Protein backbone atom coordinates (compact mmCIF):
# COMPACT_ATOMS: atom_id res chain seq x y z
CA UNK A 1 0.00 0.00 0.00
CA UNK A 2 2.75 2.45 0.96
CA UNK A 3 5.88 3.58 -0.82
CA UNK A 4 9.05 3.54 1.25
CA UNK A 5 12.65 4.56 0.66
CA UNK A 6 13.78 0.92 0.49
CA UNK A 7 10.98 0.07 -1.96
CA UNK A 8 11.84 3.07 -4.12
CA UNK A 9 15.50 2.01 -4.21
CA UNK A 10 14.47 -1.54 -5.14
CA UNK A 11 12.47 -0.26 -8.12
CA UNK A 12 15.34 2.03 -9.13
CA UNK A 13 17.72 -0.98 -9.15
CA UNK A 14 15.46 -3.50 -10.89
CA UNK A 15 11.75 -3.05 -11.56
CA UNK A 16 11.13 -6.74 -12.27
CA UNK A 17 12.70 -7.93 -9.01
CA UNK A 18 10.94 -5.23 -6.96
CA UNK A 19 7.55 -6.11 -8.45
CA UNK A 20 8.11 -9.84 -7.99
CA UNK A 21 9.00 -9.24 -4.35
CA UNK A 22 5.78 -7.25 -3.80
CA UNK A 23 3.76 -10.01 -5.50
CA UNK A 24 5.37 -12.67 -3.33
CA UNK A 25 6.97 -14.57 -6.21
CA UNK A 26 10.52 -13.58 -5.27
CA UNK A 27 12.28 -13.33 -1.93
CA UNK A 28 15.56 -11.49 -1.45
CA UNK A 29 18.37 -13.77 -0.26
CA UNK A 30 19.15 -13.20 3.41
CA UNK A 31 22.11 -10.90 3.85
CA UNK A 32 24.59 -11.39 6.70
CA UNK A 33 25.51 -7.71 6.45
CA UNK A 34 21.87 -6.68 6.84
CA UNK A 35 21.43 -8.97 9.85
CA UNK A 36 24.53 -7.64 11.58
CA UNK A 37 23.44 -4.08 10.83
CA UNK A 38 20.07 -4.80 12.43
CA UNK A 39 21.87 -6.37 15.42
CA UNK A 40 23.96 -3.22 15.95
CA UNK A 41 20.84 -1.07 15.63
CA UNK A 42 18.90 -3.18 18.13
CA UNK A 43 21.72 -3.32 20.67
CA UNK A 44 22.15 0.46 20.60
CA UNK A 45 18.56 1.67 20.40
CA UNK A 46 16.25 -1.18 21.39
CA UNK A 47 14.72 -2.02 24.75
CA UNK A 48 16.01 -4.93 26.83
CA UNK A 49 12.93 -6.93 25.84
CA UNK A 50 13.30 -6.23 22.10
CA UNK A 51 17.04 -7.02 22.27
CA UNK A 52 16.39 -10.40 23.90
CA UNK A 53 13.72 -11.15 21.28
CA UNK A 54 16.08 -10.26 18.41
CA UNK A 55 18.89 -12.45 19.76
CA UNK A 56 16.50 -15.37 20.33
CA UNK A 57 15.10 -15.14 16.79
CA UNK A 58 18.55 -14.86 15.16
CA UNK A 59 20.67 -16.87 17.59
CA UNK A 60 22.01 -19.41 15.07
CA UNK A 61 23.16 -16.62 12.73
CA UNK A 62 24.94 -14.73 15.54
CA UNK A 63 26.43 -17.56 17.64
CA UNK A 64 27.93 -20.96 16.85
CA UNK A 65 26.95 -24.33 18.33
CA UNK A 66 29.25 -23.68 21.31
CA UNK A 67 27.42 -20.41 22.09
CA UNK A 68 30.42 -18.39 20.97
CA UNK A 69 29.80 -15.29 18.83
CA UNK A 70 30.90 -15.46 15.21
CA UNK A 71 33.67 -13.11 14.04
CA UNK A 72 31.19 -10.61 12.58
CA UNK A 73 29.22 -10.61 15.82
CA UNK A 74 32.40 -10.00 17.84
CA UNK A 75 33.35 -7.11 15.55
CA UNK A 76 29.86 -5.66 15.91
CA UNK A 77 30.06 -5.95 19.70
CA UNK A 78 33.30 -3.96 19.65
CA UNK A 79 31.67 -1.20 17.60
CA UNK A 80 28.63 -1.19 19.90
CA UNK A 81 30.77 -0.74 23.02
CA UNK A 82 32.78 2.04 21.39
CA UNK A 83 29.62 3.92 20.39
CA UNK A 84 28.20 3.59 23.91
CA UNK A 85 31.26 5.44 25.25
CA UNK A 86 30.59 8.45 22.99
CA UNK A 87 28.09 10.87 24.61
CA UNK A 88 27.48 12.76 21.35
CA UNK A 89 26.60 9.57 19.45
CA UNK A 90 24.32 8.34 22.23
CA UNK A 91 22.63 11.75 22.33
CA UNK A 92 21.51 11.33 18.72
CA UNK A 93 20.45 7.72 19.35
CA UNK A 94 18.33 8.71 22.36
CA UNK A 95 15.16 9.58 20.43
CA UNK A 96 12.09 7.43 19.85
CA UNK A 97 13.22 4.16 18.25
CA UNK A 98 11.63 2.98 14.97
CA UNK A 99 9.05 5.77 15.12
CA UNK A 100 6.60 5.33 12.21
CA UNK A 101 4.92 8.16 10.28
CA UNK A 102 2.83 8.36 7.13
CA UNK A 103 2.77 11.19 4.58
CA UNK A 104 2.36 12.00 0.90
CA UNK A 105 5.06 12.68 -1.69
CA UNK A 106 4.53 12.73 -5.43
CA UNK A 107 0.86 11.83 -5.18
CA UNK A 108 1.36 8.58 -3.22
CA UNK A 109 1.41 7.66 0.45
CA UNK A 110 4.77 6.96 2.07
CA UNK A 111 5.54 5.22 5.33
CA UNK A 112 8.76 5.80 7.24
CA UNK A 113 10.34 4.31 10.36
CA UNK A 114 13.01 6.44 11.97
CA UNK A 115 15.88 4.93 13.96
CA UNK A 116 15.90 7.88 16.36
CA UNK A 117 13.32 10.68 16.39
CA UNK A 118 13.35 13.47 18.96
CA UNK A 119 10.27 15.73 18.53
CA UNK A 120 11.25 19.33 17.95
CA UNK A 121 14.97 18.47 17.96
CA UNK A 122 16.31 16.03 15.35
CA UNK A 123 15.95 12.95 13.14
CA UNK A 124 18.86 10.49 13.23
CA UNK A 125 19.68 7.23 11.51
CA UNK A 126 22.29 4.66 12.59
CA UNK A 127 24.60 3.23 9.93
CA UNK A 128 27.04 0.33 10.36
CA UNK A 129 29.28 0.57 7.29
CA UNK A 130 32.23 -1.32 5.83
CA UNK A 131 34.17 1.96 5.88
CA UNK A 132 33.61 5.66 5.24
CA UNK A 133 34.70 5.55 1.60
CA UNK A 134 32.46 5.58 -1.45
CA UNK A 135 32.89 3.03 -4.28
CA UNK A 136 32.61 6.06 -6.58
CA UNK A 137 35.61 8.38 -6.12
CA UNK A 138 33.62 11.35 -7.44
CA UNK A 139 30.67 10.96 -5.08
CA UNK A 140 30.37 10.96 -1.30
CA UNK A 141 29.35 7.72 0.44
CA UNK A 142 26.22 9.46 1.74
CA UNK A 143 25.06 10.29 -1.79
CA UNK A 144 26.27 7.00 -3.33
CA UNK A 145 24.20 4.89 -0.91
CA UNK A 146 21.18 7.20 -1.08
CA UNK A 147 21.29 8.25 2.57
CA UNK A 148 20.61 11.85 1.52
CA UNK A 149 17.36 10.74 -0.14
CA UNK A 150 16.39 8.69 2.92
CA UNK A 151 16.83 11.64 5.27
CA UNK A 152 15.12 14.01 2.82
CA UNK A 153 12.02 11.78 2.81
CA UNK A 154 12.09 11.44 6.61
CA UNK A 155 12.41 15.21 7.03
CA UNK A 156 9.54 15.92 4.62
CA UNK A 157 7.17 13.38 6.23
CA UNK A 158 7.96 14.69 9.73
CA UNK A 159 7.28 18.22 8.49
CA UNK A 160 3.91 17.16 7.07
CA UNK A 161 2.94 15.58 10.41
CA UNK A 162 4.33 18.17 12.83
CA UNK A 163 5.03 21.41 10.93
CA UNK A 164 8.66 21.16 12.11
CA UNK A 165 11.56 21.10 9.64
CA UNK A 166 14.16 19.25 11.72
CA UNK A 167 17.91 18.76 11.25
CA UNK A 168 18.96 15.27 10.12
CA UNK A 169 21.97 13.28 11.32
CA UNK A 170 23.74 10.03 10.50
CA UNK A 171 25.38 8.19 13.40
CA UNK A 172 28.07 6.01 11.83
CA UNK A 173 30.31 3.17 13.00
CA UNK A 174 32.50 1.15 10.63
CA UNK A 175 33.35 -2.55 10.43
CA UNK A 176 37.08 -1.90 10.31
CA UNK A 177 39.44 -3.60 12.77
CA UNK A 178 39.41 -0.42 14.81
CA UNK A 179 35.93 1.02 14.15
CA UNK A 180 35.81 4.59 12.94
CA UNK A 181 33.02 6.65 14.45
CA UNK A 182 31.25 9.71 13.07
CA UNK A 183 28.23 11.92 13.59
CA UNK A 184 27.30 13.70 10.37
CA UNK A 185 24.64 16.34 9.81
CA UNK A 186 23.24 16.36 6.28
CA UNK A 187 22.68 20.04 5.62
CA UNK A 188 19.20 21.09 4.36
CA UNK A 189 20.52 22.28 0.98
CA UNK A 190 21.89 18.78 0.33
CA UNK A 191 18.41 17.29 0.78
CA UNK A 192 16.69 19.30 -1.97
CA UNK A 193 18.18 17.68 -5.10
CA UNK A 194 17.67 13.99 -4.14
CA UNK A 195 14.02 14.66 -3.25
CA UNK A 196 13.35 16.48 -6.54
CA UNK A 197 15.14 13.77 -8.55
CA UNK A 198 13.06 11.09 -6.82
CA UNK A 199 9.82 12.95 -7.66
CA UNK A 200 10.79 12.91 -11.36
CA UNK A 201 11.31 9.13 -11.35
CA UNK A 202 8.32 8.32 -9.17
CA UNK A 203 5.53 8.42 -11.83
CA UNK A 204 7.09 5.54 -13.79
CA UNK A 205 7.61 3.48 -10.62
CA UNK A 206 3.99 4.07 -9.59
CA UNK A 207 2.81 3.07 -13.08
CA UNK A 208 4.83 -0.16 -12.96
CA UNK A 209 3.66 -0.90 -9.41
CA UNK A 210 0.00 -0.37 -10.39
Amino acid sequence: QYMSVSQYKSFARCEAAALAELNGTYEKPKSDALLIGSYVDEMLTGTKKSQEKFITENYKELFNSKDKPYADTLKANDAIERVKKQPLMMKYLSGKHQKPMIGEIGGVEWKIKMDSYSPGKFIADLKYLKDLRSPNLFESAIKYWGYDLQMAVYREIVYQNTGEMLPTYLVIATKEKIPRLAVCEIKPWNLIEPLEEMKKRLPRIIAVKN
Side-chain angles (χ1 to χ4, degrees):
Q1 178 182 350
Y2 300 106
M3 181 62 68
S4 67
V5 176
S6 59
Q7 186 182 122
Y8 172 82
K9 287 181 180 179
S10 292
F11 272 101
R13 281 193 299 268
C14 178
E15 293 174 352
L19 198 61
E21 191 175 357
L22 284 177
N23 291 334
T25 56
Y26 169 73
E27 187 176 344
K28 279 184 184 175
K30 283 190 176 182
S31 163
D32 291 339
L34 190 62
L35 173 67
I36 294 296
S38 298
Y39 172 71
V40 171
D41 179 68
E42 189 61 56
M43 293 302 109
L44 284 171
T45 61
T47 63
K48 186 176 180 180
K49 186 176 180 180
S50 67
Q51 290 169 353
E52 290 173 351
K53 183 174 183 287
F54 183 90
I55 290 174
T56 300
E57 290 176 349
N58 299 282
Y59 194 86
K60 290 183 179 179
E61 286 76 26
L62 298 170
F63 300 89
N64 63 26
S65 57
K66 296 181 180 179
D67 298 326
K68 298 290 184 181
Y70 289 119
D72 285 347
T73 311
L74 275 173
K75 193 183 292 184
N77 286 339
D78 184 31
I80 290 164
E81 291 308 311
R82 287 174 181 270
V83 170
K84 284 181 177 179
K85 293 176 182 176
Q86 300 297 323
L88 184 65
M89 300 187 85
M90 294 309 295
K91 170 189 172 182
Y92 288 111
L93 294 177
S94 66
K96 295 180 180 179
H97 179 49
Q98 293 297 312
K99 171 67 177 176
M101 278 190 189
I102 294 170
E104 182 271 325
I105 301 175
V108 292
E109 284 191 306
W110 288 68
K111 187 173 184 177
I112 62 171
K113 279 188 177 181
M114 295 168 280
D115 278 353
S116 181
Y117 166 63
S118 185
K121 295 180 180 178
F122 62 80
I123 305 163
D125 202 74
L126 176 64
K127 301 296 181 188
Y128 184 49
L129 307 178
K130 180 182 177 183
D131 53 46
L132 296 177
R133 294 170 294 183
S134 167
N136 183 348
L137 295 176
F138 303 100
E139 195 172 43
S140 73
I142 290 172
K143 190 165 187 63
Y144 181 86
W145 296 113
Y147 299 149
D148 53 350
L149 172 62
Q150 179 187 358
M151 301 313 284
V153 170
Y154 285 9
R155 182 170 175 259
E156 173 62 22
I157 299 297
V158 168
Y159 173 70
Q160 290 179 16
N161 281 267
T162 67
E164 296 174 335
M165 198 65 86
L166 300 181
T168 62
Y169 296 88
L170 296 179
V171 179
I172 302 168
T174 71
K175 302 176 183 178
E176 294 163 296
K177 188 174 182 180
I178 299 176
R180 296 180 70 183
L181 308 177
V183 173
C184 170
E185 180 182 3
I186 306 181
K187 296 296 185 180
W189 52 84
N190 287 324
L191 299 175
I192 297 170
E193 184 183 346
L195 198 62
E196 292 306 310
E197 185 64 29
M198 179 269 287
K199 288 178 183 177
K200 291 177 185 176
R201 300 185 67 175
L202 199 54
R204 175 178 170 83
I205 291 174
I206 295 167
V208 172
K209 187 177 176 183
N210 289 340

